[in-house]
Amino acid sequence: MEHMDMQQPLLLARAEGAQDPSALAQARGHRSLAGHGQGLLFPESEQVAGSRSHLSQTLAHEPPDAERGTCLPPLETIFRQWADLASEALLAIDATGKVLLANRACAQLLGLPVESLRGTHVATLLGSSCPLVEALHSPQVTLSGRTTAEWEWIATDGRTVPLRIVWSLLPAGPGQGSLYLASVQELSALHALEERLRQAQRFEAMGTLATGIAHDLKNFLAGMLGCARFLLAEMDEGDAHYGEVKSIAETANTAIDLVNRLLALTRTAPSQMLVCSLNQLVERTALVLRRTVAGNIRVRLNLCEELPSVLCNPAQIEQVLMNLGINAAEAMPQGGELVFRTGLVELHEEAWQGVPPGRYAYFSVQDSGVGIPPYLQRKIFEPLFTTKQPGKGSGMGLAVAEGIVREHRGMIAVDSRVGVGSRFTVYLPVAIEDQPEPTAVAPIKA
């Protein structure tokens, strides 16, 4: 693991390169929308002209270019290309259910070439269970009403896709065919957001419950600590049970310290930023992890002796360290080495997009575990994303850690290789010179 390059590009700060829309269209097999005839998305046909002649009559009253004050394409051409800009699938269907017009989003939703949609029955495209198909044979459809319905569509690849369709019947003149206008929206992303909101509400309720339990636990531990200290005051160091009572007092004191940090994370008050020693925060976290991780995991420190102080919220930075340390330990089910490092680097703007150039103190948490595949490294900081088994993790640890680091005007980077291990590095700006001396963090008694 020593060969990993510390100067790695930021995972989350990398921006996707802009792509030429015309190149994308050619890559997808789409024809140009400029001009007339074969270049149009909706080519003319007798069926289209006959089914919407009332629309053509309306367009016939459009003032000429000279009266509009500028030279514009025909309004119908503008309408067709305008429909292509919509993110929702748009359809125009005659009274028999055949598709007259369809935009590009509709073709992308169905996974079919746009040219093949015209003339196809809507039941063939969206299934016989589509509410619009049922409405075609219903005499209760109003001419001016707007109907909304949802159903599950079976895609060509076998996926079940939730869809919402909104349609209305365009009134037609005597002897003219009716025209249905419909909009189809895929609801998969919306349902995923709703599920995330429900999980966030559950997390909020659990946090409130955990806060109450933590307060009660702190009171119980304080009683234990008081009793242990009282007994120690009445005992001599040579007493046979002096060591056991002292161990009880120290354990209760450590537990109270952990509960205090848990309560600090649940407070909604503004963060209290202090000038702190990053080495001390790392040492405290490593000491806790040594007591909690499996015995086949070795926790090792490699700290920079003359590391400048950082301006931070110590409780929040310890939370980041703890989240990264626990994740690293869980990535080594067969055991391994967990290494904490600190150091100082000079970051340059051209190499680190998204963070100001300057001096940064960093700490890294490195494991010799299973590693993270490249296709998952782009998702690990997303809220609720987890590769753990159900019930083993909420998927919020890295998302919370990244949020805390960004709040501190820093950056978090990851370097991982399958079968070798992972290293997460957090960069924090060093405190300015006129800040007060670093705040001493009380050590945890062994």
Side-chain angles (χ1 to χ4, degrees):
M1 293 295 290
E2 297 293 339
H3 64 280
M4 285 188 178
D5 184 11
M6 295 298 296
Q7 300 299 329
Q8 53 195 307
L10 296 179
L11 176 65
L12 298 183
R14 185 187 308 141
E16 295 292 342
Q19 298 182 0
D20 184 3
S22 61
L24 288 176
Q26 295 176 3
R28 296 170 181 167
H30 295 165
R31 294 180 296 179
S32 172
L33 296 180
H36 302 274
Q38 296 299 323
L40 290 177
L41 175 62
F42 306 120
E44 292 291 346
S45 68
E46 296 180 359
Q47 183 182 21
V48 173
S51 299
R52 49 185 177 81
S53 58
H54 54 285
L55 179 60
S56 300
Q57 294 173 3
T58 302
L59 298 177
H61 297 287
E62 181 68 15
D65 292 345
E67 297 182 17
R68 290 198 299 261
T70 182
C71 183
L72 294 176
L75 186 58
E76 190 170 351
T77 301
I78 297 176
F79 168 76
R80 290 167 178 167
Q81 298 189 16
W82 193 4
D84 254 353
L85 298 178
S87 58
E88 296 182 2
L90 301 179
L91 291 166
I93 305 168
D94 65 11
T96 66
K98 290 185 179 180
V99 176
L100 305 178
L101 302 176
N103 69 340
R104 211 174 289 278
C106 182
Q108 293 175 352
L109 173 64
L110 300 175
L112 297 172
V114 67
E115 295 83 1
S116 66
L117 301 183
R118 186 168 56 87
T120 306
H121 198 278
V122 65
T124 304
L125 299 176
L126 299 177
S128 58
S129 61
C130 174
L132 178 57
V133 176
E134 301 174 358
L136 292 173
H137 307 287
S138 174
Q140 301 177 353
V141 177
T142 60
L143 295 180
S144 59
R146 172 177 170 174
T147 307
T148 302
E150 296 182 6
W151 88 104
E152 291 186 345
W153 169 61
I154 306 300
T156 55
D157 57 1
R159 294 180 298 113
T160 300
V161 182
L163 296 179
R164 173 185 294 155
I165 186 170
V166 181
W167 78 88
S168 62
L169 182 62
L170 188 65
Q176 298 175 352
S178 301
L179 183 66
Y180 288 88
L181 301 180
S183 169
V184 184
Q185 178 186 7
E186 184 177 354
L187 301 180
S188 301
L190 179 61
H191 289 175
L193 289 176
E194 292 174 349
E195 179 60 26
R196 290 188 177 186
L197 177 59
R198 285 191 290 267
Q199 291 194 28
Q201 292 173 341
R202 288 196 293 266
F203 290 148
E204 183 179 0
M206 292 171 57
T208 302
L209 177 62
T211 300
I213 295 176
H215 278 291
D216 292 338
L217 179 60
K218 181 179 177 181
N219 293 335
F220 297 149
L221 292 171
M224 295 172 56
L225 179 60
C227 292
R229 288 178 175 175
F230 175 78
L231 292 175
L232 288 175
E234 299 294 326
M235 299 172 64
D236 296 329
E237 294 187 4
D239 192 283
H241 299 288
Y242 183 87
E244 287 82 353
V245 176
K246 183 179 180 181
S247 178
I248 293 174
E250 292 174 346
T251 303
N253 185 61
T254 302
I256 290 176
D257 179 76
L258 293 175
V259 172
N260 285 333
R261 281 191 279 170
L262 174 62
L263 293 174
L265 296 177
T266 61
R267 297 190 185 106
T268 57
S271 300
Q272 183 180 7
M273 308 295 280
L274 303 173
V275 180
C276 300
S277 168
L278 198 56
N279 283 342
Q280 290 186 3
L281 299 178
V282 173
E283 288 174 344
R284 284 170 57 87
T285 304
L287 182 59
V288 174
L289 287 174
R290 281 195 179 102
R291 297 173 173 174
T292 56
V293 299
N296 57 358
I297 296 177
R298 178 191 175 193
V299 180
R300 186 165 62 88
L301 297 178
N302 186 357
L303 306 181
C304 176
E305 296 182 358
E306 298 182 358
L307 186 66
S309 303
V310 296
L311 185 64
C312 69
N313 182 311
Q316 291 184 344
I317 296 303
E318 284 184 345
Q319 181 187 10
V320 174
L321 283 161
M322 188 65 67
N323 287 347
L324 296 178
I326 292 175
N327 286 348
E330 292 178 349
M332 298 183 289
Q334 306 301 324
E337 189 173 62
L338 176 58
V339 182
F340 290 87
R341 287 187 178 88
T342 61
L344 181 67
V345 294
E346 183 80 20
L347 300 185
H348 302 284
E349 186 174 5
E350 60 271 15
W352 290 78
Q353 299 180 4
V355 294
R359 300 174 69 218
Y360 285 75
Y362 72 84
F363 66 83
S364 64
V365 181
Q366 180 176 321
D367 63 72
S368 57
V370 296
I372 306 172
Y375 70 92
L376 290 180
Q377 293 185 24
R378 299 182 180 182
K379 301 181 179 181
I380 57 177
F381 293 103
E382 295 179 2
L384 305 178
F385 175 81
T386 180
T387 58
K388 301 177 183 178
Q389 296 295 327
K392 299 296 185 180
S394 63
M396 293 298 295
L398 289 178
V400 171
E402 188 206 17
I404 292 174
V405 173
R406 288 188 180 274
E407 182 182 351
H408 285 73
R409 296 180 301 170
M411 183 58 67
I412 183 171
V414 59
D415 182 15
S416 183
R417 300 168 193 177
V418 177
V420 178
S422 304
R423 181 180 64 236
F424 289 81
T425 307
V426 173
Y427 298 85
L428 299 174
V430 299
I432 57 178
E433 297 179 358
D434 56 354
Q435 292 283 357
E437 292 297 322
T439 301
V441 183
I444 299 177
K445 298 180 180 179

